[in-house]
Each structure stands twice: as structure tokens, then as C-alpha cells.
Amino acid sequence: MASTKKADTISVASTHTIKKFELISKYVEAWAEILLNTETCKGIVYIDCMSNSGLYRRETPDGEIIEGTALLVSNIISKAMSKYKNKQAYLYFNDIEDAKIDLLNEQLPKRTSNFNIQTYSMDASELLDKISTQFKSVFQGMNFLLVYDPYDANIDWDALMPFLHNWGEIIINHMVSDTIRAAKMAKKQEVIEKYEETYQTTIDELISFGSDRNAFEKKIEQIILDLSGRKSGRYYVATFPFFNSNNAVVYNLIHCTGHPKGFDLFKSTAWKVFDDQSSGKHVNNNSEYEQLTFNALTGEIVSGRTTDDSCYTVRDIAAYLQKKFRGRKDVPKDDVKDYLFEHPVFPVRDYSKKTYAALKQYYGAEIHRSTISFSDRSY
């Protein structure tokens, strides 16, 4: 049985939080394997500047203790480094509370000559400032992944700037529910400044967004692109919403990278974690759902589908392609993949066969060895 001290430092993890653990850890597993198997990569750097204690309690009557991202990831990378002995891994974990870092240290895997872990108890921004100074020395030739997971809508862009400018990847937890709920009621100057810093705008503009989740999301995505310094489209941002049991969005997990493989890998990993959907939203309809509608111009009753942009399915991927290539014959599969790749949510990696099957089933496409002939059906 956990001691009282341990119980006090173990947070309760809801279902959507556990899904977040799964997505990040599965992505790290694939990310690390790809990079460590690349000859030019000298190693990997993983940074979790808001790591908590590494242990969580399920939101169930029995309160089962489970491992969070910090422990899942550290064990994954530890196992990988036992195979890639000529590479190096540096892991950084930090939490503002000393007790949580003390508990995390009790659980972490053993350090080795090529598997390095450092833990801190400080402000996250201070840690990032400290690490960013080592890009040209310790981390030369290495790839990094930074997980930035605040408890509310509080993002320090100055601290993130060096990471946005360097070769690597960032996962940001955007707590959009905090902003929608509290920004309009903010009275204290420090609270107002928090929201203005996070969204790089005035509190009046944020209030004008009301409860429009998409407006807040687009604001954050634009800030990322602006600060990356690569607005030409060669910096990739993928966003996936996480829903609570009431089907309300709690936060968005945003993946940022200058590497196209990382962009597509994250999208593919998310779809697998969400069982071939783009989120864990509970929906009554499925991919075959049709709704009859009345066309006022023709007087006809026609069938159509209502697309939920917060929970796409594989059929939605097919519909997206059908809209673009409708009626075209012998379109090279490479052209189809190139077009699909640019979508911020739809994956290409590991989903080509399922996408082709949906095109054939729902839109009568003819799938050939290297081309696709699209029908004239409505999308």
C-alpha cells in the first residue's frame, strides 16, 4: 500500500489523460526506433518539463495505480538504448513540486553509459532556457522531442522559441477548455496577462471568440508557424482534440515539427490510438451514417453525410480525396498521397490500404497497382 506521502503526490488520471499517455508513449517508441536506426543521428533527447510524479491513479472505484508518460517513455527509451549502444539518449524530467520528482526518481529505470536521465524541480521555463544553451555542444547531431504539458492555458513562447527554431519536435498540450471557461471572467491583471501571453493578443479579442474552440486553436497554430520562422509550409502542425466523458473538448495535443516523416508518423499514431478515428469522441453515428436532405433547387431528396471535424473516420479521408479527384482517371497514387499528406489530421503512413478500400466501397473508385481511377459520384 502506498504511503500517505506517495498518495498525496499521485494525481488522478481520467480516461482522456490515459489516452494522452498512450499516444505520446507510442509515438516515442516509433520515433526513437526510426531515429536511432538512422546512421547520421547520434542520439535522441527527450524533455518533459512538466512530468508530474510518473504515477497516476485511475478514475475508478479501485483507484488502480498506473504509469504515466514519464515512466512509460523512460522505459521505452531504456529498452531501445540497450540495442543501440553506439548512440546516446538524454532524458530530462521536471516538476515544480519536489515531492513529485522524489517519487519519480524512485521509479525510473537504471542509468547506463548511453542512457542518461536528469531530473529537476524548477520552473519549466527555467529548465528550457538551461537546455536550449546546449544545442551546439552536447546535443550536436542529435534529435529532440519536447513535451510541453501545462495544467492550464499558460504557454511561455519565449522559452519555446529556441526549440521551434531548431531541428526537432514539440508536443504542446493546449488547454483550450481553460480559456473558453475562464478568459471572459478574468479580472486579475496576472490572469489577464497569462491569456494574452498564451494567445499573443488582447483579452478583448479573446473574449470576442466566445466559445468558438476553433478560433482559439487557429490562433495557437498561427503563433507556432510565425515563431518557427518557416511560414512557407515546411513546418508542420498536427492537432488532435481530447474529449472528456461529457463529450466536451478538454485540450488539444499539438505536434510541431520541421520533419515530414515525424508529421505523418504522429498523425498515424494518433489514428491508431483512437481506433481508426481522429479523436476519442463518443459518437452515435459511424462511417456508414447517411442522412437524407431536401435539395430546394431541384426538389429532390438526396443522401449525404455530416462531417464531424472533431472526429474524422477513414470514410472522411476517402471523401476528402473524392472531392479533390472526382472523375479523374489513372491518378498516380503518389499524387494522391502527396495531396493527403498536407492535411493536418489525415494520415498517409499505415493507412493507404484502408483509404483505398474506403474509396472503392463508398465511391466506386478503381484501385490499380500504381494509379486510382475516381468515379463521378458525389462526395
Side-chain angles (χ1 to χ4, degrees):
M1 180 178 294
S3 66
T4 302
K5 181 179 178 181
K6 283 188 177 181
D8 290 342
T9 57
I10 298 176
S11 303
V12 175
S14 57
T15 301
H16 60 78
T17 301
I18 295 172
K19 274 293 181 185
K20 179 176 65 175
F21 299 160
E22 183 181 356
L23 173 52
I24 295 176
S25 60
K26 285 187 178 299
Y27 178 71
V28 168
E29 185 173 20
W31 168 82
E33 182 66 28
I34 290 172
L35 288 173
L36 293 171
N37 198 36
T38 302
E39 186 176 350
T40 55
C41 177
K42 295 181 179 179
I44 55 176
V45 182
Y46 177 84
I47 307 160
D48 186 342
C49 55
M50 302 161 181
S51 64
N52 215 302
S53 68
L55 294 177
Y56 291 80
R57 194 181 304 278
R58 285 188 185 272
E59 200 174 34
T60 55
D62 63 352
E64 177 190 3
I65 301 297
I66 61 171
E67 293 183 343
T69 306
L71 292 179
L72 291 170
V73 166
S74 58
N75 284 312
I76 286 169
I77 297 180
S78 174
K79 183 179 179 180
M81 299 316 295
S82 66
K83 181 169 63 171
Y84 295 96
K85 296 186 180 296
N86 62 328
K87 304 289 177 84
Q88 287 288 326
Y90 293 90
L91 280 63
Y92 294 85
F93 296 107
N94 175 71
D95 194 276
I96 197 68
E97 295 185 31
D98 291 328
K100 291 186 175 181
I101 289 300
D102 289 342
L103 180 55
L104 177 61
N105 278 321
E106 294 176 15
Q107 313 296 320
L108 288 170
K110 182 180 178 181
R111 281 78 161 171
T112 67
S113 60
N114 72 333
F115 176 65
N116 313 277
I117 301 179
Q118 297 184 40
T119 59
Y120 298 89
S121 180
M122 62 172 65
D123 181 79
S125 297
E126 293 178 13
L127 177 68
L128 295 183
D129 289 343
K130 176 184 177 70
I131 295 174
S132 65
T133 63
Q134 302 178 59
F135 281 144
K136 294 183 180 180
S137 54
V138 180
F139 304 143
Q140 188 70 33
M142 306 183 77
N143 288 66
F144 72 82
L145 172 59
L146 163 63
V147 175
Y148 191 88
D149 190 1
Y151 301 113
D152 56 12
N154 191 357
I155 300 176
D156 185 344
W157 295 110
D158 289 337
L160 288 176
M161 182 82 76
F163 298 88
L164 287 165
H165 280 211
N166 275 274
W167 188 260
E169 306 186 21
I170 306 173
I171 296 175
I172 300 174
N173 186 350
H174 171 210
M175 290 291 293
V176 66
S177 60
D178 170 47
T179 312
I180 292 174
R181 180 185 67 253
K184 59 181 176 292
M185 297 183 294
K187 301 297 182 184
K188 294 182 178 179
Q189 187 59 34
E190 61 266 27
V191 177
I192 292 173
E193 289 176 357
K194 177 191 79 169
Y195 290 118
E196 290 185 335
E197 163 64 22
T198 294
Y199 295 95
Q200 299 287 285
T201 190
T202 66
I203 192 68
D204 290 336
E205 181 182 8
L206 296 178
I207 292 172
S208 74
F209 291 165
S211 299
D212 185 355
R213 173 175 61 87
N214 290 327
F216 292 107
E217 292 171 359
K218 289 182 185 301
K219 195 73 176 177
I220 291 292
E221 290 172 19
Q222 190 57 55
I223 293 169
I224 291 169
L225 291 175
D226 289 344
L227 294 181
S228 73
R230 290 168 280 190
K231 292 185 286 185
S232 62
R234 296 308 89 191
Y235 197 73
Y236 306 96
V237 180
T239 304
F240 291 87
F242 282 72
F243 291 80
N244 61 19
S245 58
N246 295 321
N247 256 8
V249 173
V250 183
Y251 50 80
N252 297 300
L253 214 56
I254 306 173
H255 178 262
C256 323
T257 182
H259 200 299
K261 286 186 178 179
F263 175 60
D264 200 29
L265 177 61
F266 190 82
K267 292 191 293 181
S268 174
T269 305
W271 277 68
K272 290 176 183 176
V273 166
F274 292 128
D275 299 321
D276 292 345
Q277 296 184 162
S278 66
S279 75
K281 183 178 182 180
H282 303 296
V283 292
N284 293 323
N285 59 297
N286 56 38
S287 61
E288 298 185 24
Y289 177 74
E290 298 282 355
Q291 180 179 359
L292 296 179
T293 57
F294 176 73
N295 188 322
L297 295 177
T298 64
E300 295 178 318
I301 301 294
V302 297
S303 63
R305 298 182 63 252
T306 302
T307 300
D308 184 349
D309 63 4
S310 64
C311 189
Y312 292 114
T313 67
V314 175
R315 183 171 179 181
D316 291 312
I317 302 177
Y320 177 73
L321 293 174
Q322 179 68 10
K323 182 177 182 179
K324 171 67 175 179
F325 297 103
R326 180 183 176 186
R328 291 177 56 180
K329 306 301 180 185
D330 297 321
V331 179
K333 285 183 177 178
D334 286 345
D335 289 356
V336 174
K337 290 179 180 179
D338 288 346
Y339 176 71
L340 187 58
F341 170 83
E342 299 293 338
H343 195 281
V345 177
F346 295 159
V348 177
R349 183 188 182 99
D350 301 326
Y351 273 85
S352 292
K353 289 184 178 179
K354 290 181 179 180
T355 300
Y356 299 157
L359 280 168
K360 182 177 180 180
Q361 178 181 355
Y362 298 113
Y363 301 105
E366 296 178 8
I367 312 299
H368 307 296
R369 183 183 182 88
S370 59
T371 65
I372 302 174
S373 292
F374 290 81
S375 72
D376 289 324
R377 292 184 190 176
S378 173
Y379 47 84

